């Protein structure tokens, strides 16, 4: 692939869109397969994927001094690998939080908040530690895009989780696995709150600023990096609108999901399964 092609912002947009769709689908598929299996299948998924974590750490390190387009793509992919492993560990119920029980239906807002925090505490802690580690490693490095990608994913996810907590009209829970069956009890489905327009406005402004950098930066590699971040931010904005608009976003991945086995069928295959 020629240098001009690698440095094309259109290629960056296509790659970002494909990786968002494919990586999300792959994780959801693996979690569903483990859900249909035995009690250790979720843990096995996380253990088998440890090389992805190792490759992500290694790729992030070697990308730091390289501000070429290849180095930018390496940094971007390394952040996605790190993020993907941590998300797989969360959805598999391996790294979640100390609270594994549903929230009572009429719990006060304060209690519901702390219960919600308890369901994701270890997962969020690992995300923060990883983000801080990437930030420290990138502080004096030429290529900061592994940190930038991971940080953008983190803050967009925090915004989405807060919207689910405060309240949104549409909450898609059909892909949640058995280990996280208690999670939707902490969500609130209903009219949007003031936090939603604030969050989408911030993401819109961030997308515009990143796009401005992608257009006006003079270093070709950095132009690719900002194009990747612009597309990622726009996808995060789209995911926020999915919580409000009546769009069948689940169809993007539902076709590739194996059917969920009924609980009685799973128990008959494994009497000790949950």
């Amino acid at each position: 692939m020629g240098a001009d092609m690698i440095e094309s912002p259109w290629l960056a947009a296509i790659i970002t869109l494909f990786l968002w769709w494919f990586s999300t689908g792959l994780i959801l598929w693996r979690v569903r397969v483990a859900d249909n299996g035995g009690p250790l299948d979720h843990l096995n998924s996380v253990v088998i994927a440890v090389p992805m974590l190792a490759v992500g750490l290694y790729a992030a390190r070697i990308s730091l001094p390289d501000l070429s387009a290849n180095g930018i793509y390496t940094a971007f992919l390394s952040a996605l690998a790190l993020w993907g492993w941590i998300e797989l560990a969360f959805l598999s119920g391996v790294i979640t939080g100390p609270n594994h029980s549903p929230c009572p239906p009429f719990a006060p807002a304060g209690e519901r908040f702390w219960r919600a925090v308890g369901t994701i505490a270890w997962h969020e802690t690992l995300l923060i530690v990883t983000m801080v580690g990437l930030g420290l490693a990138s502080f004096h490095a030429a290529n900061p895009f592994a940190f930038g990608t991971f940080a953008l994913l983190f803050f967009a996810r925090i915004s989405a989780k807060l919207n689910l907590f405060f309240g949104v009209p549409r909450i898609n829970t059909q892909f949640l696995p058995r280990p996280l069956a208690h999670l939707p009890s902490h969500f609130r489905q209903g009219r949007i709150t003031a936090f939603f327009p604030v969050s989408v406005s911030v993401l819109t402004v961030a997308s515009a600023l990143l796009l401005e950098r992608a257009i006006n930066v003079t270093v070709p590699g950095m132009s690719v990096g900002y194009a990747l971040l612009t597309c990622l931010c726009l996808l995060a904005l789209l995911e926020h609108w999915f919580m409000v608009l009546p769009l069948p976003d689940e169809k993007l991945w539902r076709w590739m999901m194996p059917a969920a086995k009924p609980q009685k069928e799973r128990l008959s295959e494994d009497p000790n399964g949950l």
Side-chain angles (χ1 to χ4, degrees):
M1 188 179 295
D4 290 342
M5 184 64 177
I6 293 176
E7 294 171 1
S8 168
W10 295 109
L11 177 64
I14 293 171
I15 288 176
T16 306
L17 181 61
F18 173 76
L19 288 175
W20 168 78
W21 171 80
F22 178 76
S23 60
T24 300
L26 183 62
I27 291 173
L28 292 175
W29 172 83
R30 180 55 222 173
V31 169
R32 174 63 63 82
V33 170
D35 232 23
N36 287 338
L40 293 179
D41 280 19
H42 280 297
L43 177 60
N44 291 338
S45 295
V46 177
V47 173
I48 292 171
V50 164
M52 181 172 70
L53 175 65
V55 169
L57 291 170
Y58 175 74
R61 185 177 69 82
I62 65 172
S63 72
L64 292 173
D66 186 359
L67 200 54
S68 68
N70 285 330
I72 298 297
Y73 278 114
T74 300
F76 183 73
L77 292 172
S78 72
L80 293 185
L82 295 173
W83 183 271
W85 185 85
I86 296 173
E87 285 303 294
L88 176 63
F90 174 68
L91 290 172
S92 299
V94 175
I95 302 176
T96 54
N99 177 31
H100 299 281
S101 59
C103 183
F106 301 105
E111 179 184 349
R112 188 166 63 91
F113 176 79
W114 288 113
R115 282 178 172 272
V117 170
T119 63
I120 59 175
W122 311 145
H123 169 251
E124 298 304 308
T125 299
L126 181 56
L127 289 176
I128 292 171
V129 169
T130 305
M131 182 174 63
V132 170
L134 289 173
L136 292 174
S138 304
F139 191 68
H140 293 294
N143 182 352
F145 284 98
F147 167 71
T149 301
F150 199 93
L152 176 56
L153 289 169
F154 175 77
F155 288 110
R157 181 58 58 86
I158 290 295
S159 174
K161 287 177 178 175
L162 286 173
N163 273 294
L164 289 172
F165 174 80
F166 290 131
V168 286
R170 296 186 67 251
I171 300 178
N172 183 7
T173 61
Q174 65 175 279
F175 295 138
L176 280 178
R178 284 180 291 134
L180 298 182
H182 61 291
L183 198 60
S185 65
H186 301 84
F187 301 159
R188 174 172 288 172
Q189 188 166 8
R191 298 174 61 183
I192 62 171
T193 65
F195 185 74
F196 181 81
V198 171
S199 59
V200 296
S201 297
V202 170
L203 286 171
T204 301
V205 171
S207 299
L209 292 174
L210 289 169
L211 179 60
E212 184 275 332
R213 287 285 80 205
I215 295 172
N216 293 320
V217 74
T218 57
V219 180
M222 293 192 74
S223 178
V224 170
Y226 283 116
L228 290 168
L229 293 185
T230 300
C231 296
L232 199 61
C233 197
L234 288 171
L235 287 170
L237 180 62
L238 178 63
E239 289 181 334
H240 277 63
W241 282 111
F242 280 154
M243 293 187 282
V244 174
L245 300 177
L247 299 174
D249 57 298
E250 70 279 357
K251 289 185 177 180
L252 291 169
W253 301 284
R254 188 169 58 193
W255 63 272
M256 61 193 298
M257 296 295 108
K261 287 185 179 180
Q263 186 174 8
K264 289 183 179 180
E265 184 178 343
R266 290 197 302 263
L267 291 175
S268 67
E269 294 177 358
D270 181 7
N272 296 318
L274 297 178

